[in-house]
Amino acid sequence: MINLSKLAIIGSGPTAIFVLHSIWKHVAVLKTKIDSITIFEKERFLGMGMPYNPNTTDIYNLANISSEEIPKLPQSFSNWLRQQEVQSLKSLNINELPIEDSEVYSRVALGQYFCEQYNQLLKSLKLKGIRIIEQSGREVVDISKLNDDEICIYDSCGALQIFSVVVIANGHVWKDTDRPDSGYFATPWPIHKLLPKKDIPYNFPIGILGASLSAFDVVTSLSHRHGQFKKRGGNLEFIENKEAAGFKLILHSAEGWLPHLQYAQEEPMREIYRHFKRKQLMELLDKDGFLRIEDYFNMLCRPALIAAFVKDDEREVVERLKDDTFNFRDFVELMSVRHEYVNSFEGMRQEMIAAKNCVENNRPVHWMETLDDLMYSINYHAELLPAEDHLFFHKEVMAFLMNVIAALPLQSANILLALYDAGSIEIKVGKVTVQEEPPAFGNTRISVKSENGRSEILDYALFVNCAGQRNLRLEDYFFPSLVNEGTIRSPSAKFASLENVNIAGEQDNVIKKDGAAWLVLSGIDIDSAYRTIDKNGRPNNDLFDINFAHTSGLRPYSYGLQACNATSMIMVESWIAQIMEGRKTTTGIEEITELYEENDEL
């Protein structure tokens, strides 16, 4: 049974906060099991997280999530904002009142809110007799498993500490290196490194790889330093500073897509079993124990999507879905084509009319909301998918989903359109390759390959990679001792048919043994309760990893604060199940998924 007496949490951001909140909900049981909780945070400030820390983000960057979408903590985000003084709100770039539950506010404001909730939770846990030890400015540089009951943590100050259970919740880690001499930045964070120094503007085009939400953070931060946004006649206008006449932002996107816009939701909180019961999903498993993604789409997704499109009065899509030959890939292609425009900015302008109508009149876009729920559900059952379906989901479905579901706030869309109308931004379509060696004059050189096979060479004095974290390989895992001693391993998925191995195009990642084949996935292996798995296939009951970047191979659609909450709840509920039932949790998904139905917040 799990020994929680000395618990360590690596990281103090939102994921860790939701862990603490789940512990608090079960404090009547856990106060007799947990003697101390040690929280490691490499930054000086605890309780914020990288995306919301003022040392990392900018006052102009939006949180991309409203209060009504944030899982329950001691106090809601909007109520916390309502308690702040007007001057404090202005310092957080909040100038329009009253505060609305459905509005999106600055990321630094959300960081301040998280810090307050973090401190409230710590205070409450201390009052129940749990000792809290905060280790700020101490980055965990390595972890080692001593035996079945002890985990050793090494920090950046040279200290060595031993714990009974360790939870890895350390958030974003980038290992790629910036090359500032050639103007190349492997990540936009911290965003302050990109800003002009000494008020000397960038009088040249700036390249940005990606058109995701993080790319728009760069857009908003840089544009506010090179001009002013003013409202005129109900529209936003960008007026470029006279000394920044050469300033221009170039977004590089493989498909040329811009994200869908923010949409109203009937149920802002995702649920794993909103559209079907757990039993219905488990009954889809075939004789080999696989959940085939096409069966999932046909039996569970299709009815829910038809109902949603009926509500949205999308009759054409309803008729397509009623055709049994119309499959999941067809659906992805259909909805993708609907979002393709010759000019993505003009397409966004068209979408803006409908988006404003939906948001201002609280008219939900049911199909987007339903699709999000359905993909959220399969994410927590993804270990049941065979290798063939993992490949399809990772390669074809995820790009579509992140474009559709990662909704851009209307405020950000207004900024983009104002920049476009001013001629200060454009988007280039094609696959980008960044050359390792800069040209002689020190810029960053990229190659852009279009669909017709033509390549274009471009040089940038400043180029920012906003493509996100790369898929994690086991050898690049941040805590090397766990890899070297075999405490963790790579995840894998078995092929349903050997005939599909050669057509998958992944031969380098395929392991064949005893007449079967497995696809090696990215990241590290975990079970349904987020216990890490060792090289022999045994779960570590004292080492949990709930970092999405580490587990995305098995959990491809884990992102955002709601997933932080669900993941934390699943882990803590598995502890409670062990304690209350007095036995070890199995690695089987059947037992863990019973917890999903018992907790509405999942």
Side-chain angles (χ1 to χ4, degrees):
M1 190 168 67
I2 191 166
N3 173 16
L4 291 164
S5 58
K6 290 189 67 177
L7 173 63
I9 302 175
I10 301 174
S12 69
T15 304
I17 292 170
F18 286 116
V19 172
L20 293 170
H21 189 241
S22 292
I23 290 173
W24 169 248
K25 289 194 295 185
H26 292 287
V27 72
V29 173
L30 293 177
K31 70 180 181 181
T32 64
K33 303 296 180 181
I34 300 175
D35 296 327
S36 65
I37 300 175
T38 301
I39 302 167
F40 290 89
E41 173 56 61
K42 67 179 180 180
E43 302 295 339
R44 184 164 59 92
F45 297 110
L46 288 93
M48 287 188 178
M50 187 285 292
Y52 314 107
N53 193 314
N55 289 335
T56 307
T57 192
D58 185 24
I59 194 71
Y60 296 112
N61 299 151
L62 291 175
N64 298 321
I65 189 170
S66 64
S67 179
E68 62 185 4
E69 297 173 277
I70 299 174
K72 186 178 180 181
L73 287 169
Q75 185 180 28
S76 74
F77 182 34
S78 54
N79 283 341
W80 179 82
L81 287 173
R82 291 182 186 108
Q83 291 182 349
Q84 309 309 305
E85 299 290 339
V86 172
Q87 198 58 41
S88 296
L89 292 175
K90 287 184 178 180
S91 71
L92 298 172
N93 199 29
I94 299 176
N95 300 299
E96 294 189 12
L97 300 175
I99 299 296
E100 301 288 348
D101 292 349
S102 59
E103 190 59 81
V104 173
Y105 295 105
S106 68
R107 201 172 290 165
V108 289
L110 188 53
Q112 293 289 334
Y113 160 75
F114 277 135
C115 186
E116 181 83 12
Q117 304 311 297
Y118 168 81
N119 287 323
Q120 285 188 39
L121 286 166
L122 292 193
K123 182 179 179 180
S124 299
L125 291 170
K126 288 176 183 177
L127 289 174
K128 291 296 183 180
I130 297 176
R131 185 182 177 210
I132 303 293
I133 305 164
E134 296 179 275
Q135 306 258 351
S136 64
R138 287 182 175 239
E139 183 176 13
V140 174
V141 296
D142 206 0
I143 304 173
S144 178
K145 187 173 171 69
L146 299 181
N147 50 53
D148 288 339
D149 300 312
E150 294 180 319
I151 299 284
C152 188
I153 283 181
Y154 305 84
D155 68 29
S156 55
C157 296
L160 182 156
Q161 299 180 57
I162 296 174
F163 299 92
S164 59
V165 169
V166 171
V167 176
I168 299 170
N170 58 337
H172 301 269
V173 176
W174 284 276
K175 286 196 170 183
D176 293 338
T177 305
D178 293 340
R179 300 195 298 268
D181 290 344
S182 59
Y184 175 77
F185 292 92
T187 165
W189 314 114
I191 207 160
H192 306 288
K193 69 186 179 183
L194 306 177
L195 304 182
K197 304 296 189 295
K198 299 179 180 179
D199 296 325
I200 301 174
Y202 294 143
N203 246 317
F204 47 79
I206 297 162
I208 300 172
L209 179 56
S212 64
L213 297 181
S214 60
F216 299 130
D217 290 333
V218 176
V219 168
T220 54
S221 291
L222 292 181
S223 60
H224 275 91
R225 269 75 181 188
H226 291 83
Q228 298 179 27
F229 291 93
K230 293 187 177 181
K231 287 185 177 180
R232 291 190 180 178
N235 294 319
L236 195 66
E237 183 178 342
F238 179 66
I239 304 172
E240 201 168 65
N241 294 338
K242 291 181 179 179
E243 63 273 20
F247 170 75
K248 190 170 187 178
L249 298 162
I250 315 294
L251 300 175
H252 286 274
S253 168
E255 297 84 10
W257 288 350
L258 293 171
H260 275 274
L261 300 181
Q262 175 188 0
Y263 61 97
Q265 301 180 64
E266 189 173 0
E267 299 286 350
M269 301 301 297
R270 302 279 71 82
E271 286 184 18
I272 292 177
Y273 296 130
R274 171 170 282 139
H275 299 285
F276 53 83
K277 300 294 185 183
R278 168 183 173 274
K279 182 180 177 182
Q280 291 176 271
L281 185 143
M282 301 307 288
E283 286 175 346
L284 293 180
L285 302 187
D286 65 18
K287 60 182 178 60
D288 296 315
F290 290 127
L291 171 64
R292 298 311 306 260
I293 201 165
E294 204 60 49
D295 291 337
Y296 179 73
F297 178 77
N298 286 331
M299 304 305 295
L300 302 180
C301 298
R302 195 185 296 269
L305 288 170
I306 288 174
F309 279 109
V310 167
K311 289 181 180 179
D312 293 331
D313 198 24
E314 295 267 12
R315 298 294 172 178
E316 180 182 347
V317 183
V318 170
E319 293 307 312
R320 296 293 301 275
L321 284 166
K322 286 181 177 180
D323 180 357
D324 291 341
T325 64
F326 183 77
N327 60 27
F328 195 5
R329 181 175 276 107
D330 295 331
F331 176 75
V332 170
E333 290 177 357
L334 173 65
M335 303 314 293
S336 297
V337 168
R338 286 170 49 134
H339 189 56
E340 288 181 359
Y341 300 99
V342 174
N343 183 313
S344 291
F345 291 102
E346 292 298 342
M348 177 173 281
R349 199 189 307 276
Q350 293 176 35
E351 288 188 11
M352 185 69 118
I353 299 171
K356 281 184 176 180
N357 183 40
C358 289
V359 172
E360 292 174 1
N361 296 295
N362 195 27
R363 293 178 55 190
V365 182
H366 296 93
W367 78 264
M368 286 188 182
E369 186 177 335
T370 299
L371 180 65
D372 200 5
D373 270 325
L374 293 167
M375 297 301 101
Y376 188 74
S377 176
I378 200 170
N379 177 68
Y380 292 99
H381 300 82
E383 57 262 62
L384 297 171
L385 299 176
E388 296 93 330
D389 291 344
H390 268 284
L391 286 169
F392 170 61
F393 196 88
H394 280 271
K395 290 185 174 182
E396 299 187 45
V397 178
M398 278 302 296
F400 162 68
L401 291 176
M402 295 311 294
N403 175 259
V404 171
I405 305 302
L408 188 71
L410 299 187
Q411 300 100 305
S412 296
N414 282 325
I415 288 173
L416 282 175
L417 291 176
L419 289 167
Y420 172 71
D421 289 338
S424 299
I425 194 169
E426 67 175 89
I427 190 165
K428 280 185 174 290
V429 181
K431 185 177 181 180
V432 170
T433 302
V434 179
Q435 297 187 8
E436 291 296 326
E437 293 297 326
F441 44 85
N443 286 3
T444 294
R445 174 164 289 174
I446 68 169
S447 172
V448 184
K449 188 174 183 179
S450 60
E451 284 187 354
N452 60 17
R454 294 181 181 178
S455 292
E456 181 182 9
I457 302 298
L458 297 172
D459 292 323
Y460 285 104
L462 177 61
F463 188 83
V464 188
N465 190 334
C466 296
Q469 290 178 270
R470 295 180 300 172
N471 287 337
L472 180 76
R473 299 176 301 176
L474 186 65
E475 56 267 31
D476 294 329
Y477 190 67
F478 198 70
F479 308 115
S481 291
L482 294 176
V483 178
N484 296 334
E485 65 195 20
T487 300
I488 61 172
R489 70 177 186 181
S490 297
S492 61
K494 188 178 180 180
F495 280 90
S497 171
L498 284 172
E499 296 178 358
N500 295 326
V501 174
N502 293 328
I503 65 173
E506 295 281 341
Q507 281 72 19
D508 292 341
N509 297 319
V510 172
I511 298 172
K512 294 182 179 180
K513 184 179 179 182
D514 299 330
W518 285 263
L519 175 69
V520 178
L521 303 172
S522 63
I524 67 164
D525 202 4
I526 54 169
D527 71 2
S528 301
Y530 291 86
R531 295 182 296 183
T532 56
I533 307 294
D534 71 17
K535 63 181 180 181
N536 298 313
R538 297 173 303 196
N540 297 300
N541 211 38
D542 49 8
L543 182 63
F544 296 77
D545 196 325
I546 53 176
N547 180 327
F548 298 157
H550 298 168
T551 61
S552 61
L554 279 178
R555 293 282 182 267
Y557 198 55
S558 291
Y559 78 96
L561 297 175
Q562 294 187 20
C564 290
N565 178 54
T567 300
S568 302
M569 287 182 65
I570 290 166
M571 180 184 68
V572 174
E573 291 291 342
S574 76
W575 298 351
I576 296 299
Q578 288 189 59
I579 293 168
M580 300 300 288
E581 297 172 18
R583 59 185 174 85
K584 290 186 177 181
T585 303
T586 69
T587 57
I589 191 172
E590 292 85 356
E591 183 175 290
I592 295 298
T593 52
E594 290 179 358
L595 300 175
Y596 300 172
E597 286 189 315
E598 297 168 6
N599 292 273
D600 293 338
E601 292 178 68
L602 289 172

